[in-house]
Amino acid sequence: MISIGMSDRIIRIAVDTMGGDNAPDVLVEGSIVALYAYPDVRITLVGDKKKTEDSLNRFERSTPPGKSAEFLKSDTLSIRDRIRIVHADEVIEMSDSPAKAIRTKKNSSVVVANKLCRSGEEDAVISAGNTGAAMASSLLYMGRLKGVMRPAILGVLPSKKNTIAVLDLGANPDCKPEHLYQFGVMASIYVSNVLSYSNPRVGLLNIGEERTKGNELTTNAYGLFEKSDLNFIGNVEGRDVFEGIADVVVCDGFVGNVLLKVSESVFNLFTHKLKKKISDKFLTKAAAMILKPVFSEIKLQMTPEDYGGAQLLGVDGVSIICHGNSSPIAIKNAVRVARHLVLEEVNDQIKSEISKKSSERNE
C-alpha cells in the first residue's frame, strides 16, 4: 500500500468534474477531501464553471472527512486557495463515440483536462466519465511513452491472498505477443511501486497451465516472458486469478474486460442472493445485524474505492480512469494514487526498463 509522506514538490492534478454518474458533486467533494489529506496537492476542476462553483460552495462550507494530522499541523493555504476552476462548456456523454467525440467536442471537460497535462500545467488527469474518451484523449494529447507500443488499462482486484493487478482491461482488444510482454513489464514496475511488492509474480492468463495451451498469441507471448528476467510463473487459468497465485495477471483487452465485467457481476449476484436469504427469516435478519460490520469490511475489499480507479499505463503522463459511479472517497484515493505515481516518477522507470529490455532483446 502507498505510504509516501508529504513532499516539497507541488503536485498539480486536473479533475474532470463533468464525467460520471453524479457529476460534478462527487468529483468536487472528493477533490476537497483529497486536499485536506495532501497539503502538497493543488487541484484544477475542469468543467462547467457555474455548476462547479455551486458545488464547490456547498461542499466547502461543510467539514469533509479525512483531515490528516499533517494538514492540521501545517501552515498551508486554505482549501479554496489550492483549487482553481477551468471552464469547459462541453461534455462527452457515456453514449458518445469516443473517437468522434474527442474530435468534435474539443472543449469538453476531459479533453481540456488532458490538454492542461500536455502543456505542463498539470501533472495528472482524473476522469470518471466515458472510459473510451478518457483513454483516447490521454493517448492523443499526452502521447505514448518512448518505447511503449500500446498503453494498457491496469486495474487492481482482490484475491484470497493479496491485491492483484490485471491488464489490459479493455484498451487493446487485439494484441501481439510483444504487447503482452510490455504489459507485464509496466505492471511489474507499477506493482513494485504502488503496492510495494518485491519481485512481483507475473502470470499469463490462459485456458490451461501447460506451456503449449492457448492460442497463437498466448503461446508466443509465453516464449517472450520465459526468456525475460521478470518473475514469470507461467500460465494462470481463470479460476486461479482470485486465488492470488500471481501478483500481476496479463491478458489482451478483450479477455481482460470480460474478466472484469464477469467478476463485478458475480459479486452483485452474490450480494443479491445473500440479501434475499437474510430477509427470509427473523433469525437470519438478527444474525445479519450482528455481522453487519463484517459485511461492510468485505464490501470495501471487493470494490475499487481504495484504489480510486484504473491507471492508463504507457502514456506520457498520469491518467486515472474512475468508475462512473465512484464515491467521493474513490475520487480522493484516485488523487492519492496519481500523486504517488508523479512523486515516484513511475513513468521514468517504465521508459528506462522498456528501453533496457528492448536493447537486451536486440543483442
Side-chain angles (χ1 to χ4, degrees):
M1 187 61 63
I2 299 172
S3 60
I4 194 165
M6 294 300 112
S7 70
D8 294 329
R9 177 179 175 180
I10 298 300
I11 311 299
R12 303 185 183 277
I13 299 173
V15 176
D16 167 17
T17 65
M18 307 313 294
D21 300 342
N22 301 296
D25 286 353
V26 163
L27 287 305
V28 172
E29 184 179 4
S31 296
I32 291 174
V33 175
L35 289 172
Y36 273 96
Y38 306 109
D40 53 1
V41 169
R42 305 291 182 268
I43 286 181
T44 297
L45 302 174
V46 183
D48 181 277
K49 187 173 183 179
K50 185 179 185 310
K51 291 180 180 178
T52 303
E53 279 277 10
D54 290 344
S55 184
L56 182 57
N57 288 334
R58 283 196 302 276
F59 290 111
E60 192 186 27
R61 286 195 294 269
S62 63
T63 303
K67 283 188 178 181
S68 67
E70 290 87 355
F71 178 85
L72 294 174
K73 293 176 183 177
S74 60
D75 183 21
T76 61
L77 297 171
S78 70
I79 293 299
R80 174 67 73 150
D81 289 333
R82 294 161 59 205
I83 290 178
R84 70 165 176 156
I85 297 175
V86 171
H87 180 64
D89 56 16
E90 292 179 304
V91 179
I92 295 180
E93 306 292 348
M94 292 294 190
S95 58
D96 287 342
S97 164
K100 181 180 179 182
I102 63 171
R103 290 196 308 268
T104 59
K105 295 183 176 181
K106 294 187 177 179
N107 200 40
S108 61
S109 52
V110 68
V111 168
V112 172
N114 276 281
K115 285 181 178 178
L116 290 172
C117 202
R118 181 183 67 175
S119 70
E121 291 183 61
E122 306 294 326
D123 298 306
V125 173
I126 294 172
S127 177
N130 184 310
T131 299
M135 181 185 70
S137 57
S138 289
L139 182 56
L140 177 63
Y141 293 105
M142 293 181 185
R144 290 177 297 171
L145 285 172
K146 184 178 180 181
V148 171
M149 298 175 185
R150 296 274 188 90
I153 297 175
L154 178 148
V156 292
L157 298 175
S159 77
K160 287 183 180 179
K161 297 179 181 178
N162 53 14
T163 298
I164 60 173
V166 182
L167 80 168
D168 178 28
L169 293 182
N172 305 283
D174 298 302
C175 289
K176 295 179 179 179
E178 293 80 5
H179 301 153
L180 296 188
Y181 172 68
Q182 283 198 349
F183 295 169
V185 173
M186 293 192 293
S188 293
I189 294 170
Y190 176 91
V191 166
S192 296
N193 281 274
V194 177
L195 301 181
S196 300
Y197 293 171
S198 176
N199 197 26
R201 300 161 298 168
V202 180
L204 182 63
L205 188 57
N206 209 333
I207 59 172
E209 295 179 359
E210 298 85 356
R211 189 196 188 290
T212 55
K213 284 290 182 71
N215 54 20
E216 185 178 357
L217 171 64
T218 55
T219 53
N220 288 337
Y222 191 107
L224 296 179
F225 280 106
E226 195 175 35
K227 294 174 183 176
S228 74
D229 59 0
L230 293 173
N231 186 11
F232 181 56
I233 62 169
N235 291 327
V236 295
E237 298 184 64
R239 65 186 178 190
D240 299 325
V241 171
F242 299 104
E243 293 293 324
I245 292 172
D247 302 310
V248 172
V249 176
V250 177
C251 55
D252 63 63
F254 184 92
V255 172
N257 196 263
V258 172
L259 170 67
L260 177 66
K261 299 296 174 58
V262 169
S263 63
E264 289 176 345
S265 178
V266 169
F267 175 70
N268 290 336
L269 174 63
F270 174 77
T271 303
H272 170 77
K273 293 286 187 182
L274 184 63
K275 287 180 179 178
K276 193 171 185 301
K277 286 294 182 182
I278 286 174
S279 63
D280 285 346
K281 297 178 182 179
F282 172 77
L283 286 178
T284 53
K285 286 182 180 179
M289 290 300 294
I290 296 172
L291 292 172
K292 188 175 180 180
V294 176
F295 292 149
S296 297
E297 185 176 344
I298 293 174
K299 183 179 179 181
L300 283 174
Q301 293 174 353
M302 297 296 290
T303 62
E305 277 205 348
D306 196 36
Y307 300 94
Q311 286 74 54
L312 183 60
L313 291 184
V315 292
D316 195 7
V318 173
S319 177
I320 296 185
I321 304 170
C322 301
H323 203 287
N325 64 357
S326 290
S327 69
I329 295 301
I331 301 303
K332 176 256 185 184
N333 285 328
V335 171
R336 182 196 67 188
V337 173
R339 170 182 173 274
H340 183 88
L341 292 173
V342 172
L343 287 176
E344 289 294 285
E345 299 179 339
V346 170
N347 277 343
D348 287 343
Q349 295 183 50
I350 289 175
K351 282 192 293 186
S352 175
E353 196 65 17
I354 291 289
S355 176
K356 183 181 82 172
K357 293 187 183 304
S358 178
S359 298
E360 289 173 353
R361 288 183 58 198
N362 292 330
E363 288 178 355

